[in-house]
């Protein structure tokens, strides 16, 4: 009779193990997003006080972010696409895109 209880205990404990794995995975995603945001902001040297919006999913190999802000020494709003290589943990940033042309400016 004692042997019959072991599978039942294993099944009962399963939700606790899956919750712990999910929690650590959630924490890992938060850490990745924070690293992407920090590195993309640092890479956006042409933008004053850049703001980065991280794509919550990205792709299998890359994390993505849209960096926006006022160009240094100019008026207006620009955006740059930032690509983060998940394996190398490095970023590349695209050229400045006019936020008005992208439809990111509020309508007047």
């Amino acid at each position: 009779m004692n042997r019959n209880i072991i599978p039942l205990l294993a099944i009962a404990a399963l939700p606790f193990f899956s919750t712990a794995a999910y929690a650590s995975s959630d924490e890992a995603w938060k850490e990745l997003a924070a690293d992407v945001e920090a590195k993309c902001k640092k890479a956006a040297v042409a933008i004053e006080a850049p703001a980065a919006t991280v794509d919550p999913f990205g792709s299998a190999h890359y994390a993505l972010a849209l960096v926006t802000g006022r160009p240094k020494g100019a008026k207006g709003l620009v955006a740059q696409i930032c690509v983060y290589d998940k394996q190398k943990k490095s970023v590349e940033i695209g050229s400045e895109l006019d936020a008005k042309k992208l439809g990111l400016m509020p309508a007047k």
Side-chain angles (χ1 to χ4, degrees):
M1 186 150 151
N2 285 345
R3 288 186 205 163
N4 293 339
I5 199 164
I6 293 173
L8 293 174
L9 290 174
I11 291 171
L14 188 60
F16 296 106
F17 293 124
S18 63
T19 302
Y22 178 78
S24 64
S25 178
D26 190 41
E27 186 61 34
W29 283 110
K30 286 179 184 177
E31 288 177 16
L32 174 66
D35 194 36
V36 171
E37 181 178 4
K39 287 183 177 175
C40 286
K41 283 179 164 182
K42 186 175 180 182
V45 296
I47 298 177
E48 288 183 29
T53 302
V54 179
D55 179 339
F57 303 107
S59 72
H61 302 288
Y62 302 100
L64 308 165
L66 186 63
V67 184
T68 57
R70 188 169 57 136
K72 289 185 178 176
K75 293 182 180 180
L77 181 69
V78 294
Q80 292 180 295
I81 298 169
C82 183
V83 180
Y84 176 98
D85 186 313
K86 291 179 182 178
Q87 203 168 32
K88 295 178 184 176
K89 298 186 184 213
S90 62
V91 297
E92 290 187 27
I93 195 151
S95 61
E96 293 178 17
L97 304 169
D98 186 287
K100 193 179 233 179
K101 288 182 182 177
L102 293 173
L104 298 176
M105 300 293 286
K108 288 185 179 183

